[in-house]
Amino acid sequence: MSSLYFTEHGEGPLAVLIHGFPLDHTMWLGQLDALSASRRCVAVDLRGFGRSPQWHGGTLTMEQHASDVVDLIHHLGESKADIIGLSMGGYVALAMWERHHETVRSLVLADTKAAGDDDAGKAGRDAAAARLVREGRSAWGGGLIDALVADSAGPEVRSRMRDMVEGTGYETIVAALMGMKERKDRSGVLASITVPALVVAGEQDALTPPEIARSMATAIPGAHISIIPDAGHMAPLEQPTAFNLAVAEFWEPGTAP
Ligand code: MLT
């Protein structure tokens, strides 16, 4: 049984798309039609996010999210899925690989990293939680969105991001900040990945820049890499066509238009 909200497009092998922070399944609206040509694409709202039940508990750990996504895969009648995770969704994907690798058929790790937070990063999580409470979600989210997208990102990308941030509860935001602060460094897990993997990054991603993507792709045996021009940390939203082509070519080589 899974209580997570999800939306489903297409038929074929299951693919689960895992959003970043503090976002929801709607970040994948530019992917679902294109990628459902070859997959049953399921975009999920993680525990506490989007239309999944409100969260009033403590820290939302990557391990909890990973186990929730595994439950969802089973709820959908499958034992495995192709996983796409963006940023925090990538942290969840790596936790799935480490703890439930039998459920992972392939991995797309987008605008993410394997390392945990260093001391400055951990302090930044506490500061972000305090700023959220002090400034309110709109002001807090505005600053975050500016940091996430490339300068060239248009008003529609920013507007969609704002909608998602505004739709995320305060308690979820704080619980997720604490979960990311505490998350394990999974750099050592990369060498153990034996399924096909694609690492994607926006060329102007300021949070997880292309150098991080390149070093992750080097550490994962046989991994592919795609650097998306004119995109920041939100490559699927900012450059959906290029992102979709990279994933389609990875899933079904030689078939992308
Ligand atoms: C995300 O996009 O999911 C977050 O920026 C990840 C993070 O804060 O580490």
Side-chain angles (χ1 to χ4, degrees):
M1 196 44 206
S2 170
S3 62
L4 299 185
Y5 176 85
F6 61 90
T7 183
E8 181 169 356
H9 291 236
E11 288 173 8
L14 178 65
V16 179
L17 287 68
I18 311 176
H19 59 81
F21 164 86
L23 309 175
D24 61 46
H25 75 279
T26 64
M27 69 155 280
W28 302 111
L29 292 180
Q31 276 62 59
L32 291 172
D33 273 351
L35 298 183
S36 63
S38 70
R39 293 290 188 283
R40 175 188 182 193
C41 288
V42 166
V44 63
D45 280 339
L46 292 173
R47 184 181 285 242
F49 290 86
R51 294 192 212 165
S52 285
Q54 290 284 302
W55 180 250
H56 303 292
T59 301
L60 279 167
T61 65
M62 302 308 113
E63 291 76 15
Q64 175 70 66
H65 288 313
S67 138
D68 286 346
V69 175
V70 169
D71 287 348
L72 175 64
I73 291 171
H74 294 149
H75 171 77
L76 293 166
E78 298 288 345
S79 57
K80 274 182 193 293
D82 298 298
I83 304 295
I84 303 183
L86 177 120
S87 198
M88 184 183 76
Y91 308 157
V92 174
L94 287 175
M96 281 182 73
W97 172 257
E98 187 187 47
R99 299 165 71 99
H100 313 277
H101 59 86
E102 67 291 347
T103 62
V104 179
R105 183 168 41 236
S106 71
L107 281 168
V108 176
L109 299 167
D111 299 289
T112 192
K113 60 185 171 193
D117 281 4
D118 58 13
D119 287 346
K122 287 182 198 294
R125 302 292 185 192
D126 292 333
R131 212 168 47 246
L132 169 74
V133 174
R134 198 172 59 241
E135 296 177 358
R137 192 170 39 196
S138 303
W140 175 85
L144 179 69
I145 292 165
D146 286 343
L148 293 184
V149 298
D151 290 344
S152 59
E156 63 293 334
V157 167
R158 292 169 193 271
S159 163
R160 282 184 58 200
M161 298 274 296
R162 256 193 316 273
D163 284 350
M164 290 187 269
V165 174
E166 294 288 330
T168 308
Y170 278 73
E171 284 158 297
T172 293
I173 294 176
V174 173
L177 283 167
M178 296 308 117
M180 291 191 289
K181 173 183 170 184
E182 286 175 15
R183 80 185 187 282
K184 187 177 160 186
D185 183 338
R186 292 198 160 86
S187 306
V189 169
L190 298 178
S192 75
I193 296 178
T194 50
V195 292
L198 169 67
V199 180
V200 183
E203 198 172 27
Q204 283 127 49
D205 184 341
L207 257 79
T208 47
E211 304 87 84
I212 289 189
R214 287 195 189 94
S215 70
M216 275 177 77
T218 304
I220 301 173
H224 302 256
I225 181 152
S226 175
I227 304 298
I228 308 281
D230 210 17
H233 188 63
M234 298 303 303
L237 250 101
E238 296 179 71
Q239 296 298 341
T241 306
F243 182 87
N244 296 346
L245 273 175
V247 174
E249 181 60 25
F250 167 64
W251 279 350
E252 306 286 333
T255 59

